Amino acid sequence: MGSNSLHVLKGINFNVKEGEMVSIMGSSGSGKSTLLNIIGILDEADAGSYILDGVPIKNLNEKVAANYRNKFLGFIFQSFNLINYKSALDNVAMPLYYQGIKRKERIEKAEYYLEKVGLAPWSHHLPSELSGGQKQRVAIARALASDPKVLLADEPTGALDSKTSQEVMELIQGINDEGKTILIVTHEHDIAQMTKRIVHLKDGVIIDDAPVKQVRASLYV
């Protein structure tokens, strides 16, 4: 900002294998969002290297960066980030439009993923006609529609009550069971316990990185 720069991440050494489900925890200002933004190709690190599925992510122009995001990554946000004037079906089909997939195939894929998240009957409803949990399910279906290598979830249960959070985490665990790599930023310890590995950030440094015995959301009370 102007002549001021803020050193956020201070030498992060971090690997995630295909099929892992990892949570990233840390207090506000610890660098969680910056790390997620770099992994999500929304920000670029000033130094060091980032390799995604064997591809070095460096000095990309916005068109190439957008193409890589669409090809490799699916995003799930706390605030859902749905397009309010488009139906659930059209929201899910949106990433496929940018991949140049024809409308008929886009609709078929979007219907398939809405079915997968249990929302087929609501496919023609607008976001304003859906509950918070239903909106997050639409967002998950949208994230899955382009079959990304990695799902990045930024506080995916932050706007949901505990029962709905558990239902959403049960869905996310099921997606991971099928082999999808998932990274979740959360400040909620019980949500982190539903992943398989917890990384703790503090002041831009990883202070702890360890596997945990996963708590299944379906058993969580």
Side-chain angles (χ1 to χ4, degrees):
M1 298 173 69
S3 60
N4 297 326
S5 64
L6 187 63
H7 193 178
V8 180
L9 299 176
K10 298 159 186 162
I12 295 282
N13 190 3
F14 180 61
N15 291 289
V16 178
K17 294 190 180 75
E18 189 172 2
E20 279 198 278
M21 184 176 184
V22 182
S23 53
I24 300 169
M25 297 194 76
S27 59
S28 182
S30 62
K32 303 189 304 290
S33 294
T34 302
L35 178 59
L36 200 72
N37 285 348
I38 290 169
I39 294 168
I41 322 180
L42 297 166
D43 286 338
E44 189 172 336
D46 300 293
S49 60
Y50 169 31
I51 312 292
L52 175 60
D53 196 42
V55 177
I57 305 299
K58 190 77 177 169
N59 300 327
L60 307 181
N61 65 43
E62 185 44 46
K63 187 174 181 184
V64 174
N67 184 38
Y68 279 3
R69 279 195 297 270
N70 210 0
K71 178 180 175 185
F72 288 124
L73 303 163
F75 293 91
I76 306 166
F77 300 97
Q78 177 177 345
S79 54
F80 321 126
N81 285 18
L82 301 177
I83 298 170
N84 290 327
Y85 59 85
K86 288 191 175 290
S87 68
L89 188 72
D90 285 339
N91 266 285
V92 175
M94 185 65 65
L96 304 173
Y97 171 81
Y98 290 108
Q99 287 186 350
I101 292 171
K102 290 187 168 59
R103 179 166 173 78
K104 182 171 182 288
E105 189 182 343
R106 290 203 306 268
I107 296 304
E108 285 173 358
K109 282 194 169 188
E111 286 173 341
Y112 169 80
Y113 283 106
L114 279 173
E115 176 84 43
K116 192 175 178 69
V117 301
L119 277 188
W122 284 271
S123 63
H124 295 293
H125 285 61
L126 294 173
S128 60
E129 300 167 322
L130 303 173
S131 70
Q134 288 173 323
K135 287 178 192 173
Q136 196 57 295
R137 285 171 180 269
V138 172
I140 291 168
R142 179 186 58 191
L144 291 171
S146 54
D147 193 24
K149 295 282 184 185
V150 183
L151 275 186
L152 300 176
D154 191 0
E155 301 279 5
T157 60
L160 307 174
D161 63 66
S162 56
K163 182 176 184 297
T164 310
S165 296
Q166 175 254 318
E167 291 168 357
V168 165
M169 285 306 297
E170 190 173 352
L171 177 61
I172 290 174
Q173 285 180 336
I175 293 162
N176 176 246
D177 291 343
E178 294 172 2
K180 190 70 71 186
T181 309
I182 302 176
L183 269 70
I184 298 176
V185 163
T186 182
H187 67 275
E188 299 175 74
H189 194 67
D190 56 344
I191 297 297
Q193 290 292 332
M194 295 182 195
T195 67
K196 296 173 179 172
R197 173 182 161 200
I198 302 178
V199 175
H200 282 276
L201 277 182
K202 184 178 182 182
D203 299 329
V205 176
I206 292 174
I207 57 167
D208 190 47
D209 180 350
V212 290
K213 183 169 176 18
Q214 185 184 41
V215 176
R216 297 302 296 191
S218 56
L219 303 174
Y220 198 88
V221 179

